[in-house]
Amino acid sequence: MEGVQAGTDLYRTRSEQFGVLFGYESGNMRNVADRIKADDTYVGLYAAKVFRGGADIRGVYAYGWQDYKMNRLHNTVLYKSSFKGNTSEAHLELGKRLSPGPLSFRPVIAVDVMHNNIKGAVETGGASAVRYDKTDLTQVFLRAGSDVRYRMDFFTFNGGVYYSYDLNGAVPSTRVELASDGDTWALLSGPKFGRSLLTFNVGGTCQVSHNFSIIGGYQGEYVFDRTDSKMQSTGYVGGAWVW
């Protein structure tokens, strides 16, 4: 997957912050000879507030629209289908910055909720084309961990480690039937995504002028109870302007 994200503060003081973000992602997936192309556009809101005692609360809500195009090869026959979908996610985090200064830590507890809905679709291509019913998946994670931040002149280095557990533990599934015969159907179940995972990140910021900084980093995720693809990662680079 590749993508771009942009956002801006709409309101900001020393103790409060509110802003908007939007982004686009595109990617390709495959399973043996099958291929899926995915496009995702999303918008979101974020907010943060620091209380007098040093504790803070942060929140993010985002909503996205997906477009999936799938090519399925079966017995040398190519079947095509197009799926529409939408996602929504909300993150609420409570934390407190400790040891303010060049080196600091911020332990947190958080709730992360993600919902994915994929609408049904009908294949084209031959007599064995199938009809897919819609599918829904909701994940509710409890998360705990801490970040670490170190400031030195024009550089800021940051990292963090968090453990999350999915309270829902649902597995995606959908009803599949022959497009030419609604009486012949089966239940198609997806893989177990895993309920127990460790996330970590490392990154930094370099202030190159009074108004502009370069940012970059790496985020990783390790799922303890997933059979395949236990490790996933994301790299990012960008810029931040202040005016």
Side-chain angles (χ1 to χ4, degrees):
M1 300 288 290
E2 297 176 337
V4 60
Q5 178 177 280
T8 182
D9 292 341
L10 301 178
Y11 172 80
R12 181 167 183 167
T13 66
R14 292 180 62 88
S15 60
E16 297 177 332
Q17 182 182 16
F18 174 77
V20 61
L21 60 87
F22 60 92
Y24 170 77
E25 296 177 345
S26 178
N28 294 278
M29 296 168 279
R30 66 178 183 178
N31 180 29
V32 191
D34 301 338
R35 299 289 186 270
I36 298 179
K37 186 180 187 304
D39 293 287
D40 176 22
T41 303
Y42 60 91
V43 297
L45 300 171
Y46 61 88
K49 180 176 178 59
V50 180
F51 299 100
R52 182 172 300 178
D56 63 76
I57 182 171
R58 303 180 185 182
V60 179
Y61 175 79
Y63 187 90
W65 299 265
Q66 284 76 43
D67 184 8
Y68 303 98
K69 297 187 183 303
M70 183 173 72
N71 292 340
R72 182 175 67 91
L73 188 64
H74 179 65
N75 293 334
T76 71
V77 179
L78 181 62
Y79 297 91
K80 295 185 177 182
S81 55
S82 179
F83 298 81
K84 300 291 185 180
N86 56 73
T87 59
S88 59
E89 58 181 86
H91 308 270
L92 185 63
E93 190 174 274
L94 298 175
K96 184 175 182 180
R97 181 68 59 184
L98 303 178
S99 305
L103 179 64
S104 65
F105 300 86
R106 180 176 172 267
V108 304
I109 56 173
V111 177
D112 306 307
V113 181
M114 274 112 18
H115 176 73
N116 185 274
N117 172 267
I118 299 178
K119 299 179 181 179
V122 180
E123 286 185 332
T124 60
S128 297
V130 299
R131 178 186 293 109
Y132 300 91
D133 199 359
K134 67 178 183 178
T135 182
D136 289 276
L137 176 68
T138 300
Q139 296 170 289
V140 182
F141 288 96
L142 287 182
R143 175 166 52 92
S146 177
D147 77 1
V148 57
R149 184 176 68 189
Y150 180 71
R151 291 178 173 174
M152 180 181 63
D153 297 328
F154 301 105
F155 298 93
T156 300
F157 302 95
N158 55 73
V161 178
Y162 307 89
Y163 174 78
S164 302
Y165 184 79
D166 183 10
L167 300 178
N168 199 0
V171 176
S173 62
T174 184
R175 177 187 168 108
V176 180
E177 60 186 28
L178 284 174
S180 59
D181 181 8
D183 293 330
T184 304
W185 65 276
L187 187 64
L188 181 67
S189 297
K192 293 183 178 180
F193 290 133
R195 304 182 65 175
S196 179
L197 58 97
L198 185 73
T199 57
F200 55 92
N201 66 84
V202 292
T205 302
C206 176
Q207 186 174 348
V208 297
S209 71
H210 180 71
N211 299 96
F212 179 70
S213 299
I214 297 175
I215 60 177
Y218 169 88
Q219 298 175 344
E221 177 183 283
Y222 182 85
V223 184
F224 293 96
D225 51 346
R226 182 185 295 166
T227 303
D228 299 317
S229 303
K230 290 181 176 293
M231 183 70 185
Q232 299 183 53
S233 62
T234 303
Y236 64 92
V237 63
W241 291 265
V242 178
W243 62 88

